[in-house]
Amino acid sequence: PFEPMLAGMEEVGTGLLDRLDAMQRVAASAPGGPLLIVAGPGTGKTRTLTHRIAYLCAELNVFPDQCLAITFTRRAAEELRHRLDGLLGPVAEDVTVGTFHSLGLTVLRENAAAAGLPADFRIADDADRAAARAEAGDDDERYTALLRKRDLVDLDELLTLPVALLKGDRKLVREYRERWKWIFVDEYQDVDAVQYDLLRLLSPPDGNLCAIGDPDQAIYSFRGADVGYFLRFSQDFTDARLVRLNRNYRSSAPILAAAVQAIAPSSLVRGRRLDPARLDPEAPLVGRYAASSAHDEADFVVRTVDELVGGLSHRSLDSGRIDGRATSLSFSDIAVLYRTDAQAAPIVDALARANIPVQKRSHDRLRDRPGVPAIARELRHAGLDGSLAARVRQAGQILAERFAVPTLDGSGAVRPEDVRTAVDLLTPLARRCGDDLELFLNQLATGAEVDALDPRAEAVTLLTLHAAKGLEFPVVFLVGAEDGLLPLRWPGSEPNDDAVAEERRLFFVGLTRAQDRLYVSHAGRRARHGAERDTRPSPFLDVIDPALFERLDATEPRRPKDHQLRLI
């Protein structure tokens, strides 16, 4: 029905699937019907998913406007869109790509009256919700009624209302099934009960649903995600095909071996394996450091970063702490991962003392950042001119001046500098939305993330293990690998088996973020819950073959002699 562009692949004489490995090709070219792709870390999940959509459209005459691709974050949706543009060219615009919340919003906008909503309903922001909650008390029905009185819906209702609407209207279900005959879901292990209900309504048991993910990376049960839906896929969908992607293109062989051993006791993937595409006999072992304290651990991170980037000062060279050889690593290649945000403080302090630039990653929603709700309200009510980005700047200027003047009504709680920061954070989203104010406000309300991480910044990245999901770095430090932190345990409580299994999956996620070098450290003493306590290494380390570790403790030589000889 159309002529797709294949992003220049024709020029080098290759077909659409020629750049995929054997199992990626099997997944991308599978015929219609339910398909579950188990994609381990670093196995090309997004690549496979986008090539499947492109292959169906280019080779099997599937119309792009019959395709719906669902992700969990706006950033993932944008990446999917970008890759589809490269594979299919202009027709990629006809593929519907979005988050679960944006999908729910689409259904509600198209059926507002049937859902009992005015056509111009909007999503409640933090101030709206706080006001309604304060007036309603603990009465959820009254809270919802107050929102409706103001033509508002709660963010959670972007999913619950469409599900209720579809459950009560089989004709509407048929219409959407006819519209989106091919559905693709990324990170299927992270769906919750409402998202699952929505998918079951949109896709019949024998429908063309392609789900991709990895149950061993299911780490969001605290948000309501239930890995059980992934595990029961073949029961829910008739004659479902299963394809496993095991070839890892990210990490060195020692890192993969350690990761597979670490996850083995509670793996949800039968016969879990990750085959390294990179076979480098000189690949370094996993560094392991037993620190005496959190401060000693932080100093270890600084010393090792110093070595990796080739020395931060002549003093480093003069003291013999590094050998001065050339390195291609930079600060932006290095990440420090930890279980709890409280662990970051000594690391940040130590890096700052050594003049090593640091950036902490944030996955906060934009609407939760100080100053953002105020700018959104100003945009809605003030008569501003120009492009959306220009209006954001004007609103910020007005608010910064307003909040610079102390008032009695409490508005001074927002500082002018918060507003200026908010303008910087909102401007990229405003540019993407062009002049469409409603789109901009809807994206804010449906959870557009702010990511304070600048991939171009020359800085070491610090982030929690949960925030590290989906990322990769040449060098990773996983600090605080101690019983009580990994698995996380509160004083006086014993985690149940399911909780420990999820903590092990979180450890697996952390290990598999590393491409070339991985360092795991633990402290003998650490301050937690207001007191310094003796700690012991995480039991998750016990199942990893000691031969995969290079001990870097103070009592051990920094480099084995055979390693030095190889370098010479």
Side-chain angles (χ1 to χ4, degrees), residues 19-92:
R19 294 184 181 181
L20 303 184
D21 68 31
M23 294 315 295
Q24 289 173 343
R25 199 175 299 131
V26 168
S29 62
L35 172 66
L36 181 67
I37 305 171
V38 181
T43 57
K45 177 170 60 71
T46 306
R47 181 182 181 83
T48 302
L49 188 63
T50 51
H51 276 75
R52 173 158 180 75
I53 296 170
Y55 179 82
L56 290 168
C57 295
E59 302 292 336
L60 299 188
N61 293 331
V62 170
F63 287 96
D65 59 6
Q66 293 179 339
C67 295
L68 167 65
I70 309 171
T71 68
F72 277 84
T73 66
R74 198 169 307 282
R75 192 175 304 104
E78 287 174 0
E79 174 66 15
L80 212 62
R81 168 69 67 202
H82 174 72
R83 295 206 196 186
L84 285 173
D85 287 344
L87 289 169
L88 285 172
V91 297

Side-chain angles (χ1 to χ4, degrees), residues 245-317:
L245 304 183
N246 295 321
R247 191 167 174 78
N248 177 287
Y249 295 90
R250 175 186 298 154
S251 305
S252 68
I255 293 170
L256 288 183
V260 170
Q261 290 176 17
I263 194 62
S266 56
S267 176
L268 296 171
V269 178
R270 195 173 68 252
R272 168 100 274 176
R273 49 187 271 229
L274 287 172
D275 305 323
R278 302 166 50 190
L279 296 173
D280 176 11
E282 298 289 303
L285 299 174
V286 178
R288 180 171 175 177
Y289 185 77
S292 59
S293 66
H295 293 292
D296 179 26
E297 181 181 57
D299 289 340
F300 161 71
V301 172
V302 169
R303 287 196 308 271
T304 311
V305 169
D306 191 1
E307 294 177 1
L308 291 169
V309 298
L312 300 168
S313 66
H314 293 298
R315 185 168 52 79
S316 299
L317 286 164

Side-chain angles (χ1 to χ4, degrees), residues 283-467:
L285 299 174
V286 178
R288 180 171 175 177
Y289 185 77
S292 59
S293 66
H295 293 292
D296 179 26
E297 181 181 57
D299 289 340
F300 161 71
V301 172
V302 169
R303 287 196 308 271
T304 311
V305 169
D306 191 1
E307 294 177 1
L308 291 169
V309 298
L312 300 168
S313 66
H314 293 298
R315 185 168 52 79
S316 299
L317 286 164
D318 293 343
S319 66
R321 280 165 54 194
I322 64 166
D323 57 17
R325 68 186 185 281
T327 176
S328 59
L329 286 171
S330 62
F331 293 130
S332 59
D333 295 321
I334 301 170
V336 182
L337 314 183
Y338 35 81
R339 178 62 181 87
T340 66
D341 206 52
Q343 292 168 252
I347 307 284
V348 170
D349 290 345
L351 290 169
R353 285 197 307 271
N355 294 316
I356 297 174
V358 176
Q359 57 175 346
K360 279 187 69 179
R361 186 180 177 90
S362 169
H363 270 295
D364 299 336
R365 290 172 303 197
L366 267 172
R367 63 189 177 87
D368 294 335
R369 293 296 291 258
V372 168
I375 290 176
R377 285 194 297 277
E378 194 71 19
L379 286 171
R380 190 180 293 282
H381 301 300
L384 303 172
D385 300 316
S387 69
L388 195 48
R391 281 181 276 166
V392 167
R393 286 195 300 275
Q394 290 171 41
Q397 191 171 352
I398 292 167
L399 289 169
E401 292 171 1
R402 184 183 304 162
F403 293 145
V405 180
T407 61
L408 297 176
D409 63 1
S411 63
V414 179
R415 302 173 303 170
E417 52 266 40
D418 291 335
V419 174
R420 286 189 281 270
T421 300
V423 169
D424 291 339
L425 292 170
L426 289 171
T427 297
L429 178 63
R431 289 198 182 112
R432 287 200 298 273
C433 294
D435 289 325
D436 192 337
L437 176 60
E438 277 309 308
L439 175 64
F440 174 82
L441 293 172
N442 282 338
Q443 292 213 356
L444 265 187
T446 55
E449 311 89 2
V450 56
D451 190 347
L453 178 69
D454 179 357
R456 300 160 302 176
E458 260 310 307
V460 173
T461 301
L462 270 64
L463 61 168
T464 64
L465 286 165
H466 281 101

